[in-house]
Amino acid sequence: MLELYGTQITSRLLLGTARYPSPAVLAAAVKRSQTGIATVSLRRETAGGRNGGTFFEMIRELGVRVLPNTAGCHGVSEAVLTAKMAREVFRTNWIKLEVIGNHDTLQPDVFALVEAARILTDDGFEVFPYTTDDLIVAERLLEAGCKVLMPWCAPIGTAAGPLNLSALRSMRAHFPEVPLVVDAGIGRPSHAATVMELGFDAVLLNTAVAGAGDPVAMAEAFAKAIDAGRQAYGAGMLEPRDMAVPSTPVIGKPVFA
Amino acid sequence: MRLIINGEAQIVEATTLSQLLTALEYEGEWLATAVNGELVHSEERGDHILTDDDRIEILTPMQGG
């Protein structure tokens, strides 16, 4: 079973809660996905906080563990303060740490990310860093105290799927004991299955489910793909080869003149 | 007193952070507050005296990815 910061997790699908057509569809998608972890965020609200409170009460009723994020933060101090405010509201030490470095690509600012991760870890947070597939950055994040890494496989919301399989393979091989969660860039169940077949421990999704024609059905499709990919990784897959190999045994084959 | 509340300048009569939340009709426990870039815990809001031009952030849960 997957263990994240000492918590055992049954489902290897982590689901975002944004961009669904309605709260009812969100709730149904969370249930159908069987996820145990849903990501949430914090924002300014002028309506006396009632909308946010209503939303969070609904998430609590779903019985999932929440993983608050620092989405949209562009610097160390902004991300650290947002994380502290998230801990105050959501009452968890877990934080999905995002420090965005570029508006167009939503690429993480990995230098600020490492610094913020160190500050937050020292303050008792359990940091889930949204990072790239760069191995040295990953090393620095582990040195900063992170016990989980969440590399992108493509920029957020692009649905492009894994763009650099070689880098993802290297990351898995380089950190065999670290829980690795692919966060961002997944568009289709086959993308999720692919990274799970590489040995990644889990997948974090949002737009691919929320933006689907039928988000509830897509949540289930992803859950199945992630399970299939994980099972295939454990079962040991064949490596591709260049020449054909007959699947039917040739011994005993009759020879007709 | 003039405060910057969630990025907007407002004139308010509240003198503590708790009074400000009440005046702005924030309800419930699902919110976090910061003043001038520092978190103010919920139990400290009653004692937190506001001063002119303080920058107040009041954040509540929302959907996130």
Side-chain angles (χ1 to χ4, degrees):
Chain A
M1 190 179 289
L2 176 60
E3 193 170 300
L4 302 174
Y5 285 104
T7 299
Q8 294 202 323
I9 308 294
T10 309
S11 167
R12 291 174 181 270
L13 194 170
L14 286 66
L15 195 61
T17 57
R19 297 176 175 271
Y20 290 81
S22 71
V25 172
L26 162 61
V30 167
K31 285 179 188 163
R32 187 75 73 86
S33 73
Q34 298 189 306
T35 185
I37 300 173
T39 55
V40 292
S41 196
L42 281 180
R43 281 292 183 275
R44 292 168 169 174
E45 186 185 323
T46 53
R50 282 178 283 280
N51 289 341
T54 304
F55 161 69
F56 189 48
E57 294 286 356
M58 186 201 82
I59 294 296
R60 281 164 53 91
E61 285 172 12
L62 291 170
V64 292
R65 184 164 183 146
V66 294
L67 174 58
N69 70 26
T70 62
C73 290
H74 281 259
V76 173
S77 59
E78 188 185 4
V80 168
L81 177 58
T82 302
K84 289 179 178 177
M85 295 180 84
R87 180 162 65 180
E88 175 91 356
V89 171
F90 297 114
R91 294 162 202 179
T92 174
N93 287 329
W94 282 14
I95 191 74
K96 176 185 162 180
L97 182 60
E98 291 184 35
V99 188
I100 300 299
N102 182 280
H103 283 289
D104 294 323
T105 62
L106 299 180
Q107 188 166 352
D109 176 341
V110 293
F111 306 98
L113 179 70
V114 171
E115 189 180 343
R118 185 173 293 114
I119 292 168
L120 291 171
T121 300
D122 289 347
D123 194 18
F125 281 89
E126 294 173 325
V127 177
F128 294 65
Y130 160 61
T131 184
T132 65
D133 51 28
D134 187 287
L135 298 184
I136 309 307
V137 172
E139 294 271 15
R140 297 291 178 271
L141 287 166
L142 296 174
E143 289 166 12
C146 297
K147 299 195 182 327
V148 175
L149 297 172
M150 300 216 298
W152 68 357
C153 76
I156 295 173
T158 58
L163 296 178
N164 191 343
L165 287 174
S166 171
L168 293 175
R169 275 195 202 97
S170 296
M171 196 167 198
R172 180 67 286 173
H174 202 69
F175 303 105
E177 304 300 329
V178 179
L180 298 179
V181 181
V182 169
D183 176 16
I186 297 275
R188 299 172 176 219
S190 56
H191 298 156
T194 298
V195 298
M196 293 303 291
E197 286 173 4
L198 296 180
F200 280 76
D201 294 283
V203 168
L204 198 164
L205 298 167
N206 192 151
T207 314
V209 171
D214 182 344
V216 181
M218 190 59 82
E220 182 176 4
F222 267 107
K224 288 177 174 172
I226 289 165
D227 280 348
R230 180 67 188 177
Q231 194 170 359
Y233 173 68
M237 287 164 290
L238 300 186
E239 289 303 315
R241 44 192 152 194
D242 293 329
M243 299 304 289
V245 178
S247 49
T248 302
V250 293
I251 297 172
K253 180 183 178 299
V255 177
F256 298 110
Chain B
M1 175 167 23
R2 178 181 180 276
L3 301 174
I4 311 295
I5 303 168
N6 283 350
E8 291 184 12
Q10 293 191 40
I11 305 297
V12 301
E13 293 184 359
T15 56
T16 68
L17 191 52
S18 289
Q19 289 170 8
L20 178 68
L21 292 177
T22 303
L24 296 175
E25 299 182 340
Y26 278 91
E27 294 175 353
E29 52 189 329
W30 306 121
L31 56 90
T33 49
V35 178
N36 299 327
E38 296 289 335
L39 175 72
V40 179
H41 292 290
S42 59
E43 61 271 21
E44 298 166 351
R45 290 174 194 148
D47 296 329
H48 192 100
I49 307 297
L50 300 172
T51 56
D52 254 336
D53 293 326
D54 273 349
R55 290 175 291 109
I56 319 291
E57 289 289 336
I58 306 165
L59 302 186
T60 65
M62 73 161 282
Q63 298 81 352

